[in-house]
Amino acid sequence: MDLSIIIVNYNTKKLTIDCIASVYASSTTYSYEIILVDNHSSDATVEAVEQQFPNVKIIRNLTNTGFAKANNQGMQIASGRYILLLNSDTIVQADTFQTMLRYMDEHPETGASGCKVILPDGSLDKACKRGFPTPSASFYYAFGISKLFPKNPRFNQYQLGHLDPDESYPVDCLVGAFMLLRSEVIQEIGGLDETFFMYGEDIDWCYRIKQAGWGIYYYPHTYIVHYKGGSAKRRPRKIIYEFHRAMWVFHRKHYHKRYNFFTNTAVYTGIGLKLTLSLIKNMLPAKRAASHPSTNQTTESSSEVKS
């Protein structure tokens, strides 16, 4: 088996069906399997997938285990040379797998790669190519300095806005919505850190991949569409909490010992302040958000740690 595609679903039935359909509609000479991990959905996703796509391997969880643990479950039964994490709220193109697997075969030093990810309005999902969220990178991003100086590498360490999104280059971080890895990389560094529930685990994984000496590459010669934030519903408080907890977990795990007391205090205070402001903002009347043309289901993505 060349490729194992792992899709985690939680009450995103229509999105998941469309995602799987796009996979089967793609054209590739590589062999692949689809593994769906369902986190105890109540919208009959599993039954619909079983009926429409009988070849999909399905893992049914009795609880919502979170994004990291569910993907790890899928990896445990995967048999591909490559493992692809693919969000349920994405649509792949006809050439996506052929292009990306050919690139990986031709570049054995690359441990993980990601394609270009665009939003429904055609704009770039900036999470698909990032630097690590160091305290300085996060500061420049959070306070809008990166927007004031969009071409300055120093102030654009996180979202790499100074780099052309249509060119290929090594990066620190990819996004969990589309993340292609060699199976030997996973055997070497392990799966996703299940301390992260549904945010930050992709950045943590990339950090560990680079620590192990593997390259990570952004390769925009094919793309997927990412329908993140599928409706105007307010986000549950747990989701907001997990988003900000991921920031704390990542900094504590990778940066706490590298920085002094004052820097760490500033980081943790900033995370707490941002959590408070996000909770307040979430209580305000919601604005209508862009949605998938065929659904109003809410879908949460494993994406940016610092946002």
Side-chain angles (χ1 to χ4, degrees), residues 1-304:
M1 184 69 65
D2 292 311
L3 176 65
S4 295
I5 303 167
I6 301 174
I7 301 172
V8 175
N9 170 76
Y10 177 66
N11 289 328
T12 55
K13 176 180 175 181
K14 179 59 178 167
L15 292 169
T16 299
I17 293 295
D18 290 347
C19 176
I20 295 174
S22 75
V23 171
Y24 281 124
S26 66
S27 177
T28 180
T29 58
Y30 292 94
S31 59
Y32 64 86
E33 63 180 352
I34 301 175
I35 301 170
L36 176 68
V37 186
D38 184 78
N39 268 336
H40 197 54
S41 297
S42 58
D43 62 354
T45 298
V46 171
E47 291 77 11
V49 171
E50 286 178 329
Q51 181 179 10
Q52 297 185 47
F53 309 106
N55 291 329
V56 172
K57 298 179 181 179
I58 300 177
I59 297 175
R60 303 175 186 233
N61 286 327
L62 299 180
T63 60
N64 184 357
T65 63
F67 185 80
K69 186 172 183 177
N71 273 296
N72 286 343
Q73 290 177 287
M75 288 181 231
Q76 289 173 2
I77 67 169
S79 56
R81 296 188 295 121
Y82 297 104
I83 305 295
L84 174 68
L85 305 192
L86 184 66
N87 264 29
S88 64
D89 57 351
T90 62
I91 299 294
V92 304
Q93 304 306 298
D95 69 336
T96 298
F97 301 129
Q98 188 69 20
T99 300
M100 295 305 298
L101 268 67
R102 184 175 61 240
Y103 167 78
M104 292 293 283
D105 278 348
E106 293 174 352
H107 297 81
E109 75 285 355
T110 300
S113 64
C115 65
K116 189 175 186 179
V117 181
I118 65 171
L119 302 175
D121 63 2
S123 63
L124 181 73
D125 183 351
K126 296 178 181 179
C128 68
K129 59 174 187 71
R130 292 172 285 176
F132 289 128
T134 62
S136 61
S138 300
F139 176 83
Y140 297 139
Y141 174 64
F143 286 90
I145 299 175
S146 59
K147 291 183 179 180
L148 293 176
F149 304 96
K151 300 301 180 182
N152 190 314
R154 177 182 177 183
F155 300 130
N156 287 268
Q157 301 171 40
Y158 179 57
Q159 287 192 333
L160 306 180
H162 59 291
L163 299 179
D164 188 343
D166 295 321
E167 293 183 1
S168 305
Y169 35 76
V171 296
D172 288 336
C173 303
L174 304 169
V175 65
F178 186 100
M179 198 168 176
L180 180 63
L181 288 86
R182 298 181 188 279
S183 59
E184 56 262 43
V185 172
I186 300 172
Q187 293 168 8
E188 179 179 349
I189 70 168
L192 295 168
D193 184 346
E194 296 177 11
T195 306
F196 299 91
F197 183 75
M198 67 174 293
Y199 292 106
E201 68 291 305
D202 49 1
I203 296 182
D204 173 78
W205 219 17
C206 288
Y207 194 93
R208 289 154 52 202
I209 290 169
K210 297 203 78 171
Q211 278 188 319
W214 291 93
I216 298 177
Y217 218 82
Y218 169 68
Y219 193 70
H221 300 289
T222 184
Y223 70 94
I224 64 167
V225 181
H226 189 192
Y227 293 95
K228 61 194 295 187
S231 81
K233 295 179 181 179
R234 293 187 180 93
R235 293 189 299 170
R237 279 176 291 181
K238 176 177 173 55
I239 297 303
I240 298 175
Y241 167 74
E242 290 294 345
F243 181 85
H244 291 83
R245 187 179 75 88
M247 300 180 193
W248 183 88
V249 172
F250 184 86
H251 183 88
R252 186 79 181 177
K253 181 177 180 179
H254 296 296
Y255 290 142
H256 183 85
K257 293 181 179 180
R258 293 172 51 182
Y259 292 93
N260 61 38
F261 170 81
F262 298 102
T263 299
N264 288 326
T265 299
V267 169
Y268 298 137
T269 300
I271 293 172
L273 178 60
K274 188 176 183 304
L275 170 60
T276 302
L277 294 175
S278 295
L279 289 170
I280 294 173
K281 182 179 179 180
N282 197 57
M283 295 171 61
L284 300 176
K287 294 182 180 180
R288 190 79 187 163
S291 64
H292 188 287
S294 58
T295 184
N296 276 327
Q297 293 168 294
T298 299
T299 175
E300 296 292 344
S301 307
S302 168
S303 132
E304 299 185 45

